[in-house]
């Protein structure tokens, strides 16, 4: 599975404004709503699902990365957005470091396979320190998309 199969290109932010965990999740969901990937009427339900998932354990995996995710009947296919915080946000990370790179995923209720494949693909992409640093310092959304797409192609050849 390639990242461009689920990453909504209109739901990317090179400069997230939120300063706390709850707000960054809401800002990311807003990206998906504004891009038309999630209907506005489902906002509170999606936020509830993501908040419940975070209550089970933080989705911040360390190295400045967080992958908030959840399953909801409000989407028919896996959708995702990507945001970068220049300052970093405390996200209860495993390593105690602030998160800078946020991939948010919303999957249909019955899609364990694609959901897990997407999480694995994101983890593989962000394993590379150069990619993480490139995303953190990207000047705009177009640059972020370009970095992700180039690395996605490279990973597909391996």
């Amino acid at each position: 599975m390639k990242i461009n199969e689920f990453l909504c290109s209109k739901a990317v932010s090179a400069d997230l404004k939120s300063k706390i965990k709850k707000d960054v999740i809401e800002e990311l969901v807003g990206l998906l709503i504004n891009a038309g990937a999630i209907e506005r009427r489902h906002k509170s339900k999606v936020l509830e699902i993501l908040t419940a998932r975070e209550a089970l354990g933080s989705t911040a995996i360390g190295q400045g990365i967080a992958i908030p995710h959840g399953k909801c009947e409000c989407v028919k296919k896996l959708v995702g957005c990507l945001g970068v915080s220049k300052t970093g946000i405390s996200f209860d990370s495993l390593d105690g470091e602030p998160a800078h790179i946020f991939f948010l995923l919303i999957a249909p209720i019955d899609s364990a396979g694609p959901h897990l494949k997407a999480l694995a693909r994101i983890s593989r992409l962000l394993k590379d320190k150069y990619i993480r640093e490139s995303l953190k310092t990207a000047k705009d959304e177009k640059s972020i998309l370009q970095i992700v797409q180039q690395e996605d192609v490279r990973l597909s050849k391996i």
Side-chain angles (χ1 to χ4, degrees), residues 84-96:
V84 175
S85 169
K86 302 296 186 194
T87 58
I89 296 165
S90 176
F91 214 83
D92 304 319
S93 178
L94 297 173
D95 62 5

Side-chain angles (χ1 to χ4, degrees), residues 21 25 53-54 57-62 65-69 91-92:
K21 187 176 190 174
I25 290 172
R53 170 58 188 86
E54 286 300 320
S58 179
T59 57
I61 59 173
I65 304 161
I67 312 173
H69 57 278
F91 214 83
D92 304 319

